[in-house]
Amino acid sequence: SLFVIVGLTAYAQQTDKAPVPIKTEGDLKKEAMMKVPAQPAAPEVVIEKTNAKMTFESMVVDYGTIENGAEPLRYIKFTNTGTDPLLVKNARGSCGCTVPTWPKDPIAPGQSATMEVRYDTKRTGPINKSITITTNEGPENHVIQVIGTVLPKKEETPVPAAEPSVIKGN
């Protein structure tokens, strides 16, 4: 049997094919120990969907034209027009200058609630921001537009310096 193995190896070399190594039981055990265990599949993302329905009075928060430093707080009113409790999971402004605060408790069917919006009214110029709201309605988000204009700071009118009084002599 030794002669046959040598003969096969020589034959494999003559045909320009690499010799096929013969593996022992010990080699197979080593290979099995060195294999990386299969990684578990990524958990499936389940998107919760309910029969809650967030209905807004308006999809726009309009600050109008306001003075620099004016009251930053506005409200978004909404109603749960669905048949399941509505849960606002998150609300985020498109930048740090627009900060929403939302109710953390579920809103029962037929009930209304408000969300606060604060805009940095010391930022002069047009307001064109958005707020993205995530709920338990499903994968779609709500997007509220925040618009308006903040006027530049009013310049204080400088008080003219008093002219020096001229004392006239006799």
Side-chain angles (χ1 to χ4, degrees):
S1 104
L2 181 62
F3 177 75
V4 173
I5 292 175
V6 172
L8 286 177
T9 303
Y11 176 76
Q13 289 174 348
Q14 288 175 353
T15 60
D16 292 333
K17 290 186 180 178
V20 178
I22 299 173
K23 295 182 182 177
T24 66
E25 189 175 333
D27 292 335
L28 295 174
K29 284 181 182 178
K30 282 181 190 175
E31 281 182 15
M33 287 175 42
M34 294 183 71
K35 282 187 180 176
V36 176
Q39 297 297 320
E44 188 176 318
V45 176
V46 177
I47 297 179
E48 178 183 343
K49 183 166 174 56
T50 66
N51 286 320
K53 177 75 176 136
M54 189 177 214
T55 304
F56 295 90
E57 280 189 353
S58 174
M59 297 297 287
V60 176
V61 175
D62 189 351
Y63 276 78
T65 301
I66 59 174
E67 297 290 326
N68 192 290
E71 173 60 46
L73 183 61
R74 299 293 186 273
Y75 297 96
I76 302 170
K77 187 172 181 186
F78 60 93
T79 302
N80 179 2
T81 57
T83 57
D84 287 336
L86 173 70
L87 181 61
V88 179
K89 295 179 175 184
N90 194 11
R92 68 182 185 282
S94 56
C95 76
C97 61
T98 308
V99 181
T101 304
W102 62 94
K104 306 301 187 243
D105 294 327
I107 293 88
Q111 296 297 307
S112 295
T114 56
M115 184 176 296
E116 292 183 357
V117 177
R118 288 186 185 276
Y119 179 77
D120 181 357
T121 59
K122 292 182 181 168
R123 291 177 175 245
T124 301
I127 303 169
N128 186 10
K129 305 298 178 188
S130 63
I131 296 171
T132 302
I133 302 167
T134 307
T135 69
N136 64 334
E137 294 169 280
E140 299 297 318
N141 294 328
H142 298 279
V143 179
I144 303 292
Q145 296 303 308
V146 180
I147 60 172
T149 303
V150 179
L151 297 172
K153 284 185 178 181
K154 286 185 178 180
E155 295 293 324
E156 289 189 25
T157 308
V159 178
E163 291 198 26
S165 54
V166 178
I167 301 174
K168 294 183 182 176
N170 305 14

